[in-house]
Amino acid sequence: MNSCSRSETRRCRPLLGTFVEIKATGLDDDALNSAINHAFGQIERIQSLMSVHDGASEISRVNAEAFLGPVKVSDETFAVLEHGLELALASAGAFDFTIAPLLASWGLLPAYLRRRAHGNWRDVVLQSGNQVRFARPVAIDLGGIAKGFAVDAAIASLRGNQATSASVNAGGDLRVFGPDESRIHLRHPVSAQPVSNPISLRNAALATSSPCFTRRQWRGRAVSHLVNPFHRRAIAESVSVSVRASECWLADALTKVVLTTDPATAARLLELHDAEAWILSA
Amino acid sequence: MLRPTIQWLVVPALVCSAMPVHAVVYLTVEQAQVAIFPNKKLTSADVALTPEQRKAIAKASDVRVRNLELKIWRVEGGGWFILDEVIGKHEFITYAVGLTEDGAVKQIEVMDYRETYGGQVRDEKWRAQFTGKKHGAKLKLDDDIQNISGATLSSRHIADGVRRLLATYELVLKK
């Protein structure tokens, strides 16, 4: 380290229901701290818009009112809904953010998300002027995509504030930018120990989904946050799926596609998005 | 030949052979104070809880009170800075909470995070690695580990800790 080299700043806050760690370099200490604060602010903003655990969030308002009439949302929420519907279409429903009522019926999401009838992503209609409408009384949970989107927003903010390199890690959904390559160890889904071969990451994102950390028993069977939308059953195997992609929302959402769809469809979608997947099983 | 888009890795769960300990130090006390209350003067105002206060806080927050010695600072112009630690299943987390004058959470910063797996916490040798390394217990692999693992679980522990501190504010700090 010579006197010209600039330090790395690393901070961590509990957000998005997990820990979010932000690392950045390339500015003096004060500027780095202020850039990191701004990036955390972006994540807080997305959490306040898109968390179904917050009854006052924008997505909660959509869930309460969009069946009654169109609800106008922010650019960010509209973008995430667009991304989600595009991926639902491309995966023939393997990615479906309207699985929320089922998760609520298992006690994994708040009870106000329960619905009597089954619907799916096709019931979510996006209209001009950032308006959302439900054709049936469904409910949306953006948990499978918004965390990655928040990571992307934080990275965009750090880049905009002239950091040379940065990484944002939201409990396993991470994205890096900068000239250097990061080497990332995946964790074993059962033992949680790092697996030996690291994955290289440069200006890219890596997200992991595994039922191992959230699964629990519900009326005598195993349930988790990860659901196969086709037969509406939880994925409860000891498996983890990691996806490397250009953006974190995409990596995050593609992990669910790989978990729920057949290998040929998954491979086609990964190729389409220039992404790769690693499946770890015990 | 295109690179494969899906790689299957079947890896047996290791039983404590490698003993990974992942420790990260984010902020010292001074740095956390600046991060939460920039340009403010903080004055130490430590509190020792009485057994009655401990019981009342546990009752109000529904969280066990392990530590009776609270590290607290009063912020010039109003507000509090509290240092706390939570112990999860596999990890210790030191964190700081900034409260506004009227006792609302202003900001939470994780200061350090140490995790381990599989009962090593009780292993004296393992403990010894931390002795005398208050801010320096950096036992880290060469590379990053993707997950701040068990993160969902331990962020819940912080939520519990914050609830306990808010009850502490209501019952002890509030004038």
Side-chain angles (χ1 to χ4, degrees), chain A residues 46-270:
Chain A
I46 286 160
Q47 174 173 281
S48 73
L49 292 172
M50 303 184 204
S51 168
V52 295
H53 297 280
D54 174 1
S57 71
E58 203 167 66
I59 202 67
S60 289
R61 198 160 52 80
V62 168
N63 282 334
E65 297 170 16
F67 180 59
L68 308 172
V71 175
K72 192 171 167 20
V73 296
S74 62
D75 290 344
E76 290 95 330
T77 303
F78 200 75
V80 171
L81 291 169
E82 275 183 324
H83 286 328
L85 287 184
E86 275 165 30
L87 208 56
L89 183 65
S91 66
F95 181 83
D96 188 344
F97 50 35
T98 65
I99 209 73
L102 188 64
L103 297 179
S105 74
W106 293 340
L108 295 171
L109 284 180
Y112 54 74
L113 293 170
R114 289 184 198 170
R115 298 288 182 273
R116 283 215 184 98
H118 293 339
N120 62 42
W121 59 277
R122 292 178 197 277
D123 300 314
V124 179
V125 183
L126 301 185
Q127 300 173 333
S128 59
N130 283 8
Q131 304 211 85
V132 192
R133 172 174 75 75
F134 291 165
R136 279 191 285 179
V138 291
I140 292 174
D141 167 28
L142 295 175
I145 186 170
K147 195 158 77 158
F149 188 83
V151 169
D152 290 329
I155 285 286
S157 154
L158 290 158
R159 193 180 252 163
N161 283 317
Q162 316 299 324
T164 309
S165 69
S167 96
V168 177
N169 181 355
D173 285 5
L174 71 96
R175 181 167 167 188
V176 297
F177 92 84
D180 297 329
E181 195 162 79
S182 303
R183 300 201 305 161
I184 313 291
H185 284 270
L186 300 179
R187 280 183 183 277
H188 192 277
V190 175
S191 68
Q193 307 228 7
V195 171
S196 53
N197 293 334
I199 293 175
S200 311
L201 213 59
R202 195 172 160 194
N203 289 319
L206 183 74
T208 296
S209 290
S210 171
C212 295
F213 299 117
T214 62
R215 68 183 162 193
R216 62 172 84 158
Q217 290 296 310
W218 181 82
R219 295 193 186 164
R221 60 191 167 103
V223 296
S224 78
H225 281 87
L226 297 161
V227 176
N228 183 323
F230 304 117
H231 50 64
R232 302 174 61 82
R233 274 199 294 266
I235 296 157
E237 289 92 3
S238 295
V239 66
S240 83
V241 170
S242 302
V243 171
R244 174 168 65 191
S246 55
E247 295 177 278
C248 202
W249 73 265
L250 182 62
D252 193 5
L254 285 174
T255 59
K256 282 76 181 180
V257 174
V258 174
L259 270 166
T260 54
T261 194
D262 61 284
T265 307
R268 183 178 57 76
L269 266 172
L270 289 165

Side-chain angles (χ1 to χ4, degrees), chain B:
Chain B
M1 180 67 196
L2 288 168
R3 64 193 157 100
T5 46
I6 303 185
Q7 292 185 38
W8 282 86
L9 305 169
V10 178
V11 189
L14 304 170
V15 186
C16 285
S17 60
M19 194 148 95
V21 178
H22 185 209
V24 192
V25 179
Y26 294 102
L27 298 169
T28 62
V29 175
E30 294 73 27
Q31 287 168 338
Q33 291 174 338
V34 172
I36 301 181
F37 294 106
N39 307 318
K40 289 278 164 83
K41 188 169 175 279
L42 279 73
T43 316
S44 176
D46 291 355
V47 169
L49 297 177
T50 65
E52 293 73 32
Q53 285 172 327
R54 170 191 225 164
K55 214 181 268 176
I57 292 165
K59 194 172 173 226
S61 62
D62 202 22
V63 180
R64 204 177 126 193
V65 180
R66 292 170 190 271
N67 189 3
L68 296 179
E69 310 288 325
L70 303 180
K71 304 293 279 178
I72 298 178
W73 285 258
R74 186 87 174 96
V75 181
E76 163 199 48
W80 304 88
F81 176 94
I82 310 178
L83 207 59
D84 192 37
E85 187 174 60
V86 286
I87 301 167
K89 194 173 172 192
H90 296 300
E91 59 283 311
F92 304 93
I93 302 156
T94 312
Y95 66 104
V97 180
L99 298 181
T100 60
E101 171 82 89
D102 54 354
V105 175
K106 180 181 190 288
Q107 194 171 313
I108 305 167
E109 292 280 341
V110 175
M111 296 171 59
D112 64 66
Y113 186 103
R114 290 154 281 158
E115 63 172 59
T116 180
Y117 289 89
Q120 295 135 359
V121 179
R122 285 180 295 275
D123 180 337
E124 285 307 313
K125 245 196 252 167
W126 180 85
R127 269 173 194 272
Q129 296 176 30
F130 288 114
T131 323
K133 292 188 187 174
K134 199 173 172 200
H135 298 300
K138 273 198 173 175
L139 305 157
K140 198 171 157 287
L141 294 175
D142 292 340
D143 309 320
D144 281 340
I145 300 176
Q146 184 210 21
N147 242 322
I148 303 179
S149 180
T152 307
L153 195 69
S154 35
S155 70
R156 244 177 264 153
H157 287 120
I158 288 214
D160 287 347
V162 171
R163 211 164 67 237
R164 168 168 49 72
L165 294 179
L166 290 175
T168 308
Y169 167 83
E170 281 298 320
L171 297 164
V172 181
L173 299 179
K174 197 175 165 182
K175 298 268 160 67

